Amino acid sequence: MKKHLFYLLLALVMIWCITGGCQQEEEISALHKEVPALAEVYQDFFPVGAAVNSWTIESHKELIEKHFNSLTAENEMKFESIQRSPGKYTFERADAIVELAEKNGMLVRGHTLVWHSQTPAWVFKDEKGRPASRELLLKRMEEHITTVVSRYRGQVYAWDVVNEAVTDGGGPGYLRTDSPWYRIIGPGYIAQAFIFAHRADPGAKLFYNDYSAVDPAKSDRIYRLLKDLLEQGVPVHGVGIQGHWDISYPSANQVEAAIRKYASLGLEVQITELDISVFPWSDRGHLRAAPKNRLRTQAQRYRELFEVFRRNKDVVTGVTFWGVADDRTWKDNFPVRGRKDWPLVFDEEHQPKAAFWEIVNF
Ligand code: GLA
């Protein structure tokens, strides 16, 4: 009886193959193989990176290993992840990302050392819960930077040393004054952070990283900060333009103008957190699926932006996406909590989108 069943099954499989089933499978895998690897397509331009986290290095491993040659930890190297309580450093999650990068010969961007956000409250308080003194906070900054940067010396090639220190406007100066780093240490905290990082790894490229960095008014303020730092002899080597953009903002011209403006200071420029939301900023509506017309516009935006990046390859030394594929993106919770967005170049099934083809076919 069992034998009969076996022959029946065998016959069914053979019929399926003869009628083209096997071939279809082969075609599908051949199609998959034909998808070019992003990093290879861009090998004559700049490294192409992705922000990854402890989950996506498993769930998105295939895409990560095939397409990217640079990794950034989405959260795992931030102050609150590495030193949640005083002196207790936890590196396991960050190490796992660095290991994956090394196994695949990829670069690692370190993100981020000094930021007003995702930094535990204890950092800014003394043992009695009172605001920390300037000396205490500087000491903590030095210890944290030295410990983290030294650990990854030779492994992390570039650090976002200071994140988002420039104001969005309104105040008298160009710095954000609602940062506890600024309030307690004063404007000199930025220079100090770069000096500590440089001491810990003189070979690392040190970046200042910010959002709205192509907005004309904000880019003027960022430019002033960088110019001041350079004039003081502070070791800053590049500027990170985050690149959380959308289908209607910013224009390619605006992006190019900002790149050239920063480059005129002799700095490298990297796009450090690229994603293009299908929702213009003022649109707070929800959508059940990604509409075709918005995906087409998104693809065109990706194309024109990558044209700018390629054209400026003399100064653009890296482009990193803030995520891997549309099934896991911070944009699902920002600026509207729980609203699905589709900002990347791989879809929820990890397949290349129109945007992908626009940036690889040029
Ligand atoms: C900023 C930070 C990133 C990340 C994003 C949102 O751009 O630099 O680390 O937190 O916001 O995901």
Side-chain angles (χ1 to χ4, degrees):
M1 185 62 191
K2 268 192 189 149
K3 222 175 182 179
H4 285 129
L5 258 178
F6 172 76
Y7 284 121
L8 183 66
L9 259 174
L10 193 67
L12 282 174
V13 170
M14 281 169 74
I15 291 169
W16 177 68
C17 263
I18 291 163
T19 54
C22 290
Q23 207 184 329
Q24 233 175 29
E25 287 281 288
E26 272 163 30
E27 276 167 16
I28 290 170
S29 69
L31 203 75
H32 198 67
K33 275 196 206 106
E34 275 164 30
V35 174
L38 262 180
E40 266 169 41
V41 174
Y42 277 87
Q43 63 189 353
D44 294 334
F45 295 94
F46 36 72
V48 182
V52 299
N53 59 44
S54 302
W55 295 275
T56 56
I57 56 171
E58 293 305 332
S59 57
H60 294 58
K61 198 178 208 144
E62 215 179 303
L63 279 183
I64 294 168
E65 290 187 332
K66 169 159 178 167
H67 288 284
F68 301 100
N69 56 357
S70 175
L71 298 184
T72 303
E74 193 174 350
N75 291 301
E76 289 73 357
M77 288 189 185
K78 289 175 180 169
F79 207 126
E80 69 172 12
S81 306
I82 281 195
Q83 200 188 167
R84 180 165 286 279
S85 46
K88 296 219 164 59
Y89 288 85
T90 45
F91 288 111
E92 289 77 8
R93 292 180 169 197
D95 284 354
I97 292 169
V98 174
E99 251 168 54
L100 176 69
E102 294 209 318
K103 195 179 124 228
N104 289 284
M106 299 159 166
L107 298 166
V108 182
R109 298 193 81 261
H111 176 82
T112 179
L113 298 166
V114 173
W115 189 21
H116 59 275
S117 181
Q118 292 188 261
T119 302
W122 69 261
V123 175
F124 307 109
K125 293 190 181 136
D126 69 10
E127 289 70 21
K128 296 203 170 106
R130 295 172 309 206
S133 66
R134 184 173 187 277
E135 290 62 38
L136 178 61
L137 187 55
L138 267 173
K139 191 165 145 273
R140 283 184 177 151
M141 180 203 268
E142 178 172 13
E143 263 169 28
H144 182 81
I145 292 179
T146 308
T147 308
V148 178
V149 175
S150 312
R151 180 181 182 89
Y152 295 115
R153 189 173 164 149
Q155 294 180 299
V156 167
Y157 87 106
W159 278 101
D160 291 331
V161 177
V162 177
N163 203 30
E164 304 178 351
V166 167
T167 176
D168 291 328
Y174 57 76
L175 293 182
R176 172 193 290 278
T177 51
D178 60 359
S179 161
W181 295 106
Y182 177 92
R183 271 202 313 270
I184 299 173
I185 300 176
Y189 83 90
I190 301 171
Q192 278 303 335
F194 279 93
I195 291 165
F196 294 145
H198 187 62
R199 261 188 222 151
D201 184 358
K205 289 184 177 185
L206 305 183
F207 281 74
Y208 172 74
N209 191 50
D210 213 333
Y211 64 90
S212 298
V214 305
D215 170 75
K218 187 151 176 191
S219 68
D220 279 346
R221 293 191 284 271
I222 297 175
Y223 178 92
R224 275 177 61 198
L225 164 68
L226 295 167
K227 193 161 179 286
D228 277 2
L229 291 173
L230 290 166
E231 279 167 6
Q232 290 167 52
V234 174
V236 47
H237 310 118
V239 54
I241 294 175
Q242 290 187 358
H244 295 298
W245 294 325
D246 66 58
I247 50 172
S248 63
Y249 171 91
S251 73
N253 284 345
Q254 207 174 320
V255 173
E256 189 154 23
I259 291 174
R260 295 318 314 181
K261 180 155 137 189
Y262 297 131
S264 73
L265 290 167
L267 293 171
E268 289 185 21
V269 180
Q270 297 198 354
I271 312 301
T272 51
E273 305 184 19
L274 181 60
D275 45 25
I276 299 185
S277 170
V278 303
F279 298 96
W281 180 252
S282 55
D283 179 352
R284 297 294 148 111
H286 289 249
L287 289 165
R288 293 175 99 195
K292 284 223 170 64
N293 60 338
R294 293 206 195 189
L295 290 179
R296 255 197 312 276
T297 311
Q298 180 189 55
Q300 282 155 10
R301 306 269 14 247
Y302 266 112
R303 177 171 48 75
E304 61 192 23
L305 290 169
F306 271 78
E307 270 166 16
V308 170
F309 305 154
R310 289 195 299 269
R311 218 177 14 249
N312 290 280
K313 70 168 185 174
D314 58 326
V315 291
V316 173
T317 58
V319 175
T320 291
F321 291 89
W322 203 246
V324 182
D326 282 348
D327 57 323
R328 256 204 111 101
T329 160
W330 78 293
K331 293 299 295 177
D332 287 351
N333 285 305
F334 187 86
V336 179
R337 184 159 272 284
R339 175 180 75 177
K340 182 72 203 125
D341 201 342
W342 300 269
L344 296 162
V345 300
F346 295 101
D347 69 16
E348 288 168 271
E349 270 74 52
H350 297 194
Q351 297 303 311
K353 294 164 61 179
F356 173 87
W357 295 110
E358 288 293 345
I359 62 176
V360 298
N361 293 327
F362 54 87

